[in-house]
Amino acid sequence: MTGFSQRLNLVTSTPRIDSFPIVRLKMTATYNGSLPQPGILPGDMKITEDNAPVNFQLLNCDESRQAAIVFCIDASTSMKSSAGDSWDMYKAYYSSFDKFINLMPAGSRYALAAFTDGVVYYPGLAHATGFYFSQNAADSMDFQFKLHSQSFFGGTDVDSGIKVSARLLEYQPFQNKVIVLVTDDHSIQTPYIDSLLNAMGITLYVMETGVDPSPLNQILTHSTGGLYMQARDSASLVPVMGQLAELVFGEHCVIRYPSTNPCPWLKMHDISLTLNYKGLSRNVTEQYNLGRNIFDFDPPQISVISPLYTNRIVQAVENYPCT
């Protein structure tokens, strides 16, 4: 019988098919809220596409538990209602960041980007790297001081906050680069932000505050291989941030496989991913859809029938849509 404390988490991303027939997905796995030891191997997983097993690889697996993280926080007026009592922010709001920072292993770095109509970030030039260091009490205190100093007043520009956070992470020497977005609003330039984060190898995690969910944030987060969670009240702020931290410092890999479907075009494909690890099992499903056959450059066969009088019949034939 499996012990009550044992738990296995598996999070995957939207399939990337820009190099089809190669299919790629991000994968994050945690065991009992931490890095799986030993690490995940291909033999621990079973993956099928349209119920047919695929020959997959696990690439670029990061088991360092180190990361560069930007806490991208919404400091607009509405946050006092979604993460506070309409006058002040909940104490649990500030405690949720302490929870995350205390779970950071040595060697990681973090920064704070606060956005309203504009964006300010810390520690800036106060540190040579522009980031705070994990397991450093002075840095943790300064982070909280900067967080408490936000007025939480003004409008909301989520996209600018994400863009500034991405630029801060661009040259950080870590394989695992993360934005933790805390907001009660959503991205507007979703296709651009999606392309930006995936091109820069940045994973987005979202803690949505308040009772109104954001489907756009959910889609964007899933696309990057991160996780969207909603903190509806003060009691859920610390647990949600703790769960996000567990995934940030889990094992991260890229799943890669060639699709062998003989006629993949113009239909939805179902991917089933099952992880079996130390007696526990988790299953997730993903989907992708292909349009027309963009690789079909062969002209159709043309036959010409001799005319009876002065006209000809020309016929083009193609086995649509698979040739």
Side-chain angles (χ1 to χ4, degrees), residues 74-97:
D74 185 343
S76 66
T77 306
S78 63
M79 288 292 288
K80 288 183 178 180
S81 296
S82 64
D85 59 9
S86 296
W87 298 98
D88 296 300
M89 303 298 285
Y90 290 130
K91 290 183 179 179
Y93 174 82
Y94 300 109
S95 297
S96 68
F97 292 90

Side-chain angles (χ1 to χ4, degrees), residues 25-29 35-36 38-42 44-45 56-66 175-176 250-256:
L25 307 89
K26 283 186 179 180
M27 179 203 81
T28 301
L35 184 75
I40 304 300
L41 298 174
D44 298 320
M45 299 194 70
F56 68 93
Q57 297 172 291
L58 295 181
L59 304 175
N60 304 323
C61 290
D62 181 11
E63 300 176 358
S64 69
R65 297 196 72 231
Q66 295 180 352
Q175 184 175 331
N176 189 16
E251 180 174 5
H252 307 279
C253 297
V254 173
I255 297 170
R256 180 187 185 277

